[in-house]
Amino acid sequence: MIRFKNVTKRYPGMVRSAVDGLSLEVNQGETCVFVGPSGCGKTTTLKMVNRIFEPTSGEILVNGENILSQDQDTLRQGIGYVIQKTGLFPHYTVFENVATVPRLLGWDHQRINSRVHELLRLVGLDPDENAHKYPRELSGGQSQRVGVARALAADPPVMLMDEPFGAVDPITRTQLQNEFLTLQQKVRKTICFVTHDIDEAIKMGNRIAIMNNGRLVQYDTPEKLLLAPADDFVAEFIGSDRSLKVLSLLPVPKVLKRQFRVVKETAELETVRASFDATERNRLVIEDENSNVVGYVTRGDAGKASSARGWNRFIKPFPTTLPPEATLRDALAVMLQHDVGAIPVMEHTRKFLGMVYLDDIRSYVGEAYQESEPEPAGEGAPS
Amino acid sequence: MRSLRYFVNNTDRILGYAGEHAVLILMAVVMAVLVWVSVGILIRNNRRMARGVLGIASLIMSVPSVALYGILVTIPGLGLSRQSAVLALVLYAMLPIIRNVYVALNGVDAAIMENARGMGMSARRILFRVQLPLATPVILAGVRVSVVMMVGIATLAVFIGERNLGVLIQQGLVRTRSDMIIVGAVLVSAFAIGIDYLFSKLEHLLVSPGIRGEAA
């Protein structure tokens, strides 16, 4: 969708190229996050896509078409653009701001009106309450939402976002990030996103392009980046806590033990004992008639029970459970908080899916690192 | 008291002077705004040219007004005429108007300009839809300063044949009639204050509520 082919940008009077021989491809509907220290060329790269800056050499293709062969203004009208300070027009109302590009494209009044209302609702602003406000009456978070709505106005397939959530407080930032991820699920734009915050990059990106001194150092999915940094620079940039960060990218089902004996609470003691005999595990998950989990019994407690149904009083509820969309990071946090080594995963309907074990998390992450470890080069060549 | 009596006894004549004063200033303001705002727009992207134009404007501003009138009447085709008077006032408005237009157009927030370009607005559209609306308060402030100044300088145009409120002051001085001087001075001040008030109303009309009350 967006393709950089050996793109170089050199500013007049500068010794070093701002961007040096960059080649990469952003797939349709994906978010590519450019990240790196200041002066690494990430913003220059972004701004070459809509020709705020023009490449010194190389080609940039959007939708297979070289951007330099298109009319500059037409190209820009087809690319959503969001920048840090929002750049909302202070003399225009929220409505007029969002309507900017549709007006450039000559849409009729009716169409603009319904589109603006639709967009404001999409970014979580009540149109009746906000459409006629001026930017100075908005909070930082609201301004950014209007900025995003304005960029989406003409439904461009491509969006460029330059530190869009950089100027708001941390709580609002997290909120805007989450909202934007939900929004992106719906609109599926091809996005180039610039940030200097690696955590934001990991959270927002399908792929991350780490840049340093104008060069692309690594272009990979967040998981690969965290598990197998290409060099020391990347490893240092993503931080020594990268093994913790990777946990937030791995979903719980990856380590879920699904083979688990489940017994109905109406079962006879015999069934319970038979189930324990058939397994190595020391706990048995108990569910009710409707397959909803009610708790567990331990092997020891099952031994103490005597009557056929009396074992029921040994059923203990789980201190906590996890939804299937939880990450390993959530699982670990809950384990530490409740001082347990295993947590059941259930759907929202309380249907049992399996158990997560601390040991499994440890070995899974350990293996992931070993697999991604680059082969030792040079040494040990067969003699 | 004597001044008031003088005013009451000569109302018709004085109102005639005031009318002449107003006409002269109106002509000068319209011309000054048309010409100098255009020049300000033309030089907005050319720093070297801007420096030159603003230098000339400062130079003109530093010429004493009586001397400027004196110079203008020697120019063939102008002479002792209303053209000379209007031209002098227009020249005095050059610095405040051009400088404010130039500074205001270039003072638009870089983020706003970048976004306007990034959304695909043409340079012309950015000028008329973004830069000029945002620059309006500062441009109006420049026009306001120059008009208030014109009201005072116009009184001196009596030396090249204008018959405005300056007559009262000039005649008062020649005949040592303090009542005439006071009537003239008070009316000229009232005139300036009135125009200042008109401009505050004008600003309310022309400036978007989104930026009203921000710039000086």
Side-chain angles (χ1 to χ4, degrees):
Chain A
M1 187 68 190
I2 305 175
R3 199 155 160 210
F4 295 84
K5 279 183 174 172
N6 202 19
V7 174
T8 294
K9 171 70 185 178
R10 191 190 295 270
Y11 292 109
M14 300 278 278
V15 183
R16 189 171 62 76
S17 299
V19 175
D20 194 358
L22 177 87
S23 296
L24 65 78
E25 199 165 334
V26 185
N27 297 328
Q28 168 115 36
E30 283 195 353
T31 304
C32 168
V33 181
F34 292 89
V35 67
S38 354
C40 70
K42 54 188 192 292
T43 299
T44 304
T45 303
L46 183 90
K47 290 181 179 177
M48 280 193 286
V49 178
N50 65 353
R51 293 178 64 182
I52 297 284
F53 302 134
E54 307 231 322
T56 313
S57 66
E59 282 186 346
I60 300 173
L61 307 176
V62 173
N63 239 341
E65 210 178 329
N66 190 334
I67 55 162
L68 293 179
S69 62
Q70 297 174 49
D71 172 66
Q72 184 171 280
D73 289 341
T74 316
L75 171 83
R76 288 170 176 172
Q77 285 161 18
I79 298 178
Y81 193 43
V82 187
I83 62 178
Q84 181 178 349
K85 289 193 284 177
T86 74
L88 292 182
F89 298 139
H91 59 301
Y92 277 6
T93 60
V94 166
F95 182 97
E96 290 166 322
N97 266 290
V98 177
T100 308
V101 178
R103 278 180 182 168
L104 288 175
L105 296 172
W107 291 12
D108 64 61
H109 185 76
Q110 193 62 45
R111 188 172 166 205
I112 292 176
N113 197 45
S114 64
R115 179 65 179 159
V116 171
H117 280 70
E118 178 192 346
L119 280 164
L120 288 178
R121 273 191 293 270
L122 192 67
V123 297
L125 291 172
D126 178 8
D128 298 326
E129 195 182 314
N130 295 293
H132 298 289
K133 282 188 181 168
Y134 285 91
R136 69 171 170 191
E137 300 170 78
L138 303 175
S139 69
Q142 287 173 325
S143 302
Q144 276 310 341
R145 289 191 178 92
V146 176
V148 170
R150 181 170 71 169
L152 285 168
D155 206 13
V158 175
M159 300 256 290
L160 305 178
M161 309 182 82
D162 185 7
E163 305 214 21
F165 311 133
V168 291
D169 63 89
I171 296 172
T172 312
R173 186 181 314 146
T174 308
Q175 202 181 343
L176 289 172
Q177 286 169 344
N178 293 340
E179 283 173 13
F180 190 74
L181 286 172
T182 317
L183 185 64
Q184 167 67 351
Q185 293 287 325
K186 286 185 221 161
V187 296
R188 291 273 167 210
K189 301 296 181 194
T190 306
I191 300 170
C192 288
F193 190 110
V194 163
T195 180
H196 61 268
D197 177 0
I198 185 69
D199 292 312
E200 184 170 64
I202 292 167
K203 183 171 182 180
M204 306 305 286
N206 297 101
R207 278 168 189 275
I208 297 175
I210 294 208
M211 295 182 72
N212 190 27
N213 290 331
R215 288 175 178 278
L216 181 65
V217 188
Q218 188 169 4
Y219 183 48
D220 247 322
T221 60
E223 290 90 341
K224 291 233 183 78
L225 203 70
L226 289 168
L227 293 170
D231 60 14
D232 290 347
F233 169 77
V234 177
E236 197 182 322
F237 192 77
I238 58 187
S240 51
D241 59 341
R242 61 193 167 99
S243 41
L244 285 177
K245 283 171 184 157
V246 77
L247 288 176
S248 61
L249 292 170
L250 302 171
V252 149
K254 292 237 181 200
V255 297
L256 202 60
K257 285 266 186 332
R258 291 172 194 277
Q259 256 76 55
F260 221 91
R261 296 213 163 244
V262 179
V263 174
K264 296 261 188 253
E265 60 179 345
T266 52
E268 305 278 311
L269 181 60
E270 285 308 308
T271 323
V272 178
R273 288 205 172 132
S275 299
F276 270 121
D277 289 342
T279 175
E280 299 261 289
R281 300 190 200 281
N282 286 319
R283 288 178 181 192
L284 216 52
V285 174
I286 311 298
E287 59 181 26
D288 67 10
E289 294 292 88
N290 306 319
S291 298
N292 292 331
V293 173
V294 292
Y296 65 96
V297 286
T298 62
R299 192 183 285 271
D301 285 343
K304 283 185 237 161
S306 47
S307 67
R309 296 294 307 282
W311 64 274
N312 266 197
R313 67 192 161 95
F314 293 111
I315 298 176
K316 294 186 183 112
F318 288 107
T320 177
T321 61
L322 285 171
E325 63 269 18
T327 65
L328 292 190
R329 186 193 169 98
D330 301 329
L332 200 61
V334 170
M335 282 176 188
L336 292 174
Q337 190 189 340
H338 293 275
D339 192 23
V340 291
I343 300 173
V345 176
M346 294 186 215
E347 295 211 4
H348 297 294
T349 54
R350 294 194 67 75
K351 184 179 171 306
F352 182 71
L353 292 172
M355 295 288 283
V356 198
Y357 288 92
L358 181 57
D359 284 350
D360 291 341
I361 295 178
R362 203 162 56 196
S363 56
Y364 181 82
V365 174
E367 276 165 32
Y369 271 109
Q370 265 165 16
E371 276 168 29
S372 314
E373 207 70 19
E375 296 290 317
E379 322 158 316
S383 51
Chain B
M1 248 8 255
R2 276 206 320 140
S3 307
L4 194 63
R5 202 177 315 128
Y6 177 80
F7 179 73
V8 173
N9 290 340
N10 300 277
T11 317
D12 285 352
R13 201 158 56 88
I14 294 170
L15 285 182
Y17 291 152
E20 287 290 296
H21 213 105
V23 169
L24 176 65
I25 284 165
L26 194 70
M27 289 171 75
V29 171
V30 171
M31 260 187 78
V33 169
L34 285 178
V35 176
W36 301 138
V37 172
S38 310
V39 172
I41 289 172
L42 286 174
I43 63 168
R44 73 187 187 282
N45 293 324
N46 190 333
R47 188 173 301 189
R48 264 182 49 203
M49 195 150 48
R51 205 177 298 151
V53 170
L54 289 175
I56 294 169
S58 305
L59 194 74
I60 292 173
M61 193 86 161
S62 68
V63 178
S65 36
V66 181
L68 186 66
Y69 286 127
I71 295 166
L72 289 177
V73 292
T74 63
I75 295 172
L78 289 174
L80 283 170
S81 66
R82 170 149 279 176
Q83 284 97 302
S84 297
V86 171
L87 187 59
L89 295 182
V90 170
L91 285 173
Y92 275 116
M94 184 176 180
L95 184 65
I97 296 181
I98 295 186
R99 189 186 50 202
N100 281 32
V101 170
Y102 179 76
V103 169
L105 289 181
N106 283 294
V108 174
D109 186 347
I112 292 171
M113 291 297 289
E114 190 185 311
N115 237 315
R117 275 201 297 275
M119 285 191 293
M121 294 174 87
S122 62
R124 191 188 159 83
R125 202 173 172 100
I126 292 175
L127 174 67
F128 286 105
R129 297 294 172 92
V130 180
Q131 284 180 292
L132 280 175
L134 289 177
T136 304
V138 176
I139 296 175
L140 273 181
V143 176
R144 195 165 166 174
V145 167
S146 46
V147 176
V148 170
M149 207 172 59
M150 281 180 191
V151 174
I153 293 172
T155 57
L156 295 170
V158 291
F159 294 112
I160 58 168
E162 283 294 318
R163 309 287 298 161
N164 58 31
L165 292 172
V167 174
L168 298 175
I169 297 170
Q170 184 247 344
Q171 290 287 309
L173 284 170
V174 173
R175 299 197 257 153
T176 53
R177 285 277 302 276
S178 60
D179 54 342
M180 286 179 77
I181 298 176
I182 290 171
V183 168
V186 166
L187 285 180
V188 169
S189 302
F191 211 97
I193 293 168
I195 283 175
D196 210 49
Y197 176 76
L198 272 180
F199 265 87
S200 70
K201 290 282 153 200
L202 196 63
E203 187 170 331
H204 209 75
L205 268 176
L206 294 181
V207 177
S208 153
I211 55 168
R212 214 176 275 155
E214 268 182 5

